[in-house]
Amino acid sequence: MANMKEIHSRMKSIKDIMKITNAMYLISSSKLKKARKSLLATEPYFDKLQETINDILLVAPHMHQIYFERREELEKADRKRGYLVITADKGLCGAYNHNVIKLAEEEMAKGDNNFLFVVGQVGRQYFMRKNVVIDVEFLYTAQNPTMYRAGEMTDIILEMFEKRELDDVYVIYNEMVSPLKAETQIKKLLPLERKKFERRAAGIPHAAFYPSAAQVMDNLVPNYVRGLIYGVLIEAFSSEQNARMTAMETATSSAKDMLRELDLLYNRARQAAITQEITEIASGAKCAQKS
Amino acid sequence: MATTFYLEIIASDRPFFKGDCEMLSFPGLDGEFGILPNHEAMVTCLKAGELRFKVDGEWRYAAVSDGFVNVRPEATVLLADTVELPEEIDIKRAEAEKLRAEEKLRQKQSIKEYYQTQAELNRAMNRLKVTSKYR
């Protein structure tokens, strides 16, 4: 009998959890719909932005501009690397956070002077526990990205780069390649690289920069970085919702599988208990008849 | 001589325009810029203001904010944070934004905040200008 009770309470707890996973599935699928819409709207901009900046870097003349500073005089070990790591605000989304954190840690193993800007609570908590140097005041949520938030992040990062507190800046995030596949990406934000050799190989002349190359770059680079961060945030957000939706779907279906199995066990235990009871009664009756 | 050139206008939240255009005029860093077909390769920046482009002999207008323009022989690409048609602009909202920015400017602020508010005010005033002109 105790077995039956145990199975019953186990089934109840699975049912309760299933209610939660199912609700989360519904929530994330509706959030995904919204995120997908903004991703679809922003993707042309994001792609064109990268294409155009590549194009511009191809035709840019030589100039002394801070965002092009490669600081080659620094030893490799002395370089201060900044990483903008984009995680989710919550867990329960499969390997989403784990993948980003893993790649970030692999990258961080390359040098000692690492500085992290973490978006999202999960990554923040993780790196704080690990005692990694992170920007404590870089408090931005991963949810519903806006251009304004991307602009603030850009200001912080560019300022640190200008002050030489950072020498290389990367961004690490999950990209949704297809609804079934997410890929962890790393992109270099700064410094920009002028494609001198490729330009010469292609035989393209320099383009005119108006009013001046330096002035254009002063305006263009913050704009580009902001656009890129915005695009990355949007991409990551919809990837997060997608990951959560898939994870919750799997959780719900595996809960259903478990319930089916437990149901069988429960019925079997019930049957056994009934059979036992009948046998007991029957043998008891037999005994009573004999005497 | 070609009389049109291929133009792409892309805002951060949607592709705005794609197609052949006869003339493009946009607010540059130090004044209005006009682009005609066969323009030399050029890269320049865009600030908040009024955008005009001529398609099939007809002028079209829009309000833009910060961005940049890449003029190449094969295509001209204009990338901006926002591009809005005059009829899409919410006048009430733009007015409220203008008031809020003006109010903020009167407060004590850090340099960074000051620049941000100024940019906000600029955008709001530009929206109002474009709507009052073309609606």
Side-chain angles (χ1 to χ4, degrees):
Chain A
M1 276 305 265
N3 198 16
M4 253 167 81
K5 213 171 197 172
E6 261 169 37
I7 294 173
H8 197 75
S9 71
R10 178 94 205 277
M11 277 169 79
K12 193 175 170 294
S13 80
I14 290 175
K15 268 184 203 151
D16 287 347
I17 290 172
M18 203 172 88
K19 265 182 210 152
I20 297 172
T21 56
N22 202 28
M24 279 183 75
Y25 167 75
L26 291 173
I27 292 169
S28 56
S29 74
S30 84
K31 272 192 183 167
L32 175 69
K33 222 181 255 166
K34 215 174 99 194
R36 278 283 270 289
K37 219 169 118 196
S38 63
L39 176 67
L40 234 60
T42 312
E43 221 159 32
Y45 176 79
F46 188 54
D47 292 344
K48 203 78 198 174
L49 184 74
Q50 293 180 64
E51 205 185 300
T52 311
I53 209 85
N54 268 334
D55 218 41
I56 289 174
L57 291 175
L58 208 62
V59 294
H62 184 76
M63 64 183 116
H64 285 288
Q65 218 274 344
I66 190 141
Y67 303 121
F68 286 106
E69 265 178 22
R70 265 178 286 169
R71 300 175 191 164
E72 275 161 341
E73 71 280 5
L74 289 171
E75 290 285 326
K76 229 180 179 174
D78 290 339
R79 294 186 80 84
K80 292 181 276 297
R81 279 173 239 266
Y83 295 98
L84 175 62
V85 182
I86 296 166
T87 62
D89 277 343
K90 292 185 189 88
L92 291 181
C93 43
Y96 176 84
N97 289 311
H98 182 76
N99 284 345
V100 171
I101 289 171
K102 205 172 87 188
L103 185 64
E105 282 190 326
E106 268 168 31
E107 286 296 318
M108 276 154 55
K110 286 183 187 167
D112 289 329
N113 294 320
N114 297 312
F115 195 81
L116 284 185
F117 304 98
V118 189
V119 177
Q121 280 303 320
V122 174
R124 255 180 107 68
Q125 301 293 344
Y126 178 84
F127 286 114
M128 271 186 359
R129 231 178 303 137
K130 288 249 162 174
N131 290 326
V132 181
V133 194
I134 64 169
D135 188 343
V136 227
E137 269 158 35
F138 198 81
L139 281 167
Y140 296 105
T141 155
Q143 287 180 60
N144 300 326
T146 58
M147 203 56 162
Y148 179 74
R149 208 183 303 147
E152 291 206 334
M153 292 181 193
T154 308
D155 286 347
I156 295 171
I157 291 170
L158 289 184
E159 201 187 317
M160 285 189 76
F161 185 81
E162 281 162 23
K163 281 188 189 157
R164 289 176 158 259
E165 284 165 14
L166 291 175
D167 299 314
D168 297 289
V169 185
Y170 300 88
V171 51
I172 301 175
Y173 69 104
N174 268 326
E175 191 182 270
M176 198 166 85
V177 184
S178 73
L180 290 171
K181 201 169 147 234
E183 242 171 48
T184 318
Q185 300 270 356
I186 176 159
K187 271 205 172 87
K188 192 172 192 175
L189 278 180
L190 288 171
L192 295 171
E193 269 164 58
R194 204 174 6 244
K195 295 175 181 150
K196 196 161 63 184
F197 302 107
E198 287 162 44
R199 182 182 65 78
R200 280 197 196 135
I204 310 167
H206 290 305
F209 279 68
Y210 199 85
S212 74
Q215 236 174 321
V216 168
M217 281 302 166
D218 276 344
N219 280 285
L220 192 151
V221 174
N223 204 293
Y224 161 67
V225 174
R226 184 168 48 145
L228 196 76
I229 291 180
Y230 178 65
V232 160
L233 285 174
I234 295 243
E235 190 86 50
F237 183 60
S238 81
S239 170
E240 178 199 332
Q241 297 308 335
N242 195 44
R244 179 162 298 128
M245 196 180 89
T246 333
M248 288 302 115
E249 201 181 3
T250 336
T252 313
S253 80
S254 87
K256 273 182 190 152
D257 284 349
M258 279 165 90
L259 277 180
R260 207 174 300 129
E261 251 166 56
L262 285 174
D263 211 26
L264 216 64
L265 278 179
Y266 177 78
N267 282 342
R268 231 174 256 162
R270 196 173 60 107
Q271 197 90 63
I274 292 169
T275 318
Q276 201 186 345
E277 232 169 86
I278 290 175
T279 332
E280 272 165 17
I281 292 169
S283 62
K286 227 178 230 170
C287 279
Q289 245 172 18
K290 268 181 191 167
S291 57
Chain B
M1 287 279 275
T3 52
T4 59
F5 60 100
Y6 187 71
L7 172 71
E8 269 186 64
I9 301 176
I10 300 171
S12 68
D13 52 356
R14 62 173 166 169
F16 182 80
F17 176 80
K18 215 180 250 188
D20 290 324
C21 151
E22 287 161 40
M23 185 183 170
L24 166 74
S25 152
F26 59 85
L29 285 176
D30 48 4
E32 193 111 336
F33 246 110
I35 306 277
L36 284 168
N38 304 310
H39 197 283
E40 71 167 334
M42 183 185 76
V43 179
T44 189
C45 284
L46 184 71
K47 62 177 191 186
E50 177 193 331
L51 177 81
R52 286 182 292 158
F53 55 104
K54 201 175 182 182
V55 182
D56 296 330
E58 196 184 317
W59 281 105
R60 298 191 188 179
Y61 305 92
V64 287
S65 60
D66 300 354
F68 55 94
V69 188
N70 183 21
V71 183
R72 300 297 294 271
E74 61 279 3
T76 296
V77 179
L78 189 149
L79 286 161
D81 292 352
T82 57
V83 184
E84 292 161 308
L85 290 170
E87 52 267 32
E88 284 168 351
I89 296 170
D90 187 340
I91 300 179
K92 286 242 166 61
R93 215 185 121 199
E95 264 166 3
E97 262 164 26
K98 183 179 165 231
L99 281 177
R100 204 173 55 213
E102 278 170 347
E103 195 59 42
K104 264 206 230 161
L105 278 179
R106 287 192 204 110
Q107 314 280 327
K108 218 175 194 170
Q109 295 186 104
S110 71
I111 293 283
K112 202 176 124 194
E113 279 169 344
Y114 176 76
Y115 284 136
Q116 274 175 355
T117 336
Q118 219 172 26
E120 264 166 44
L121 180 64
N122 224 337
R123 282 195 294 269
M125 278 169 70
N126 173 49
R127 285 203 179 105
L128 289 174
K129 200 179 97 191
V130 172
T131 40
S132 61
K133 237 168 140 178
Y134 301 111
R135 198 147 77 168

